[in-house]
Amino acid sequence: MTLSEKSAYLKGLMEGMKLNTEDGEGKMIAAIVDLLGDMAETVGDIEETTICISDELDEIEDDLDAIEDYLMDEDDEDDDDDFGFTDDDDEDMNYMDDFAEYEVTCPKCGEVTVFDEDTLLEGESVCPKCGEPLEFEFDEDDEEISF
């Protein structure tokens, strides 16, 4: 039984008992039954509104999912670069570093150290083993390193 049906049932019981609703207990019972009827109607309206809101939210969620799918499809197309690599490949492989590393042998201790092009362009560094200052002259045209 719904709240409205229960409220109607109580009202019917009250009328069937032929209570005097003009004084005392009968008046109070009649007021309580009326109050229960109003509350049942209000709760029914709230339930209907809640169902409508829930349906609207479901539609909004579906629309947002469609927008997300559309945007994700665009991102997937943008992830491909000219070399056939995706952004996921870039995380696993930093291929640009392979082109800019040079092995340098310290003239004092013979330690072989790998420096990147930026360090060589600065013109100096320090041997990590013996601390000997290393000075470089880097000619980009010839790609030769001299001490």
Side-chain angles (χ1 to χ4, degrees):
M1 252 180 163
T2 66
L3 290 176
S4 296
E5 292 169 340
K6 288 180 182 178
S7 172
Y9 175 74
L10 289 174
K11 188 170 189 171
L13 280 177
M14 182 188 73
E15 290 173 358
M17 293 174 64
K18 297 184 182 186
L19 294 173
N20 182 6
T21 59
E22 299 299 320
D23 65 1
E25 293 174 356
K27 190 173 185 177
M28 185 179 78
I29 291 174
I32 291 172
V33 169
D34 284 342
L35 174 66
L36 289 173
D38 292 344
M39 290 175 69
E41 186 178 325
T42 302
V43 168
D45 291 344
I46 291 172
E47 286 175 342
E48 287 179 24
T49 303
T50 303
I51 289 169
C52 289
I53 290 172
S54 177
D55 292 343
E56 289 284 330
L57 285 174
D58 288 342
E59 288 180 28
I60 290 171
E61 182 180 16
D62 292 342
D63 291 344
L64 286 174
D65 286 342
I67 291 170
E68 181 183 19
D69 290 343
Y70 175 77
L71 291 176
M72 294 303 290
D73 287 343
E74 276 188 6
D75 287 346
D76 288 344
E77 291 171 8
D78 292 342
D79 286 348
D80 293 333
D81 58 19
D82 293 337
F83 303 108
F85 296 116
T86 63
D87 286 342
D88 294 336
D89 294 332
D90 291 342
E91 291 173 8
D92 298 331
M93 177 176 79
N94 193 351
Y95 53 88
M96 291 305 291
D97 285 345
D98 292 339
F99 300 115
E101 292 183 342
Y102 301 91
E103 290 184 357
V104 177
T105 304
C106 176
K108 183 175 180 183
C109 69
E111 176 75 14
V112 176
T113 307
V114 177
F115 290 105
D116 62 5
E117 186 174 5
D118 292 336
T119 304
L120 295 177
L121 291 174
E122 289 174 12
E124 60 184 275
S125 186
V126 177
C127 175
K129 184 175 181 183
C130 68
E132 177 74 16
L134 303 173
E135 293 182 7
F136 312 110
E137 288 182 22
F138 182 70
D139 185 1
E140 291 183 37
D141 294 332
D142 296 334
E143 295 190 12
E144 291 182 10
I145 304 169
S146 58
F147 296 97

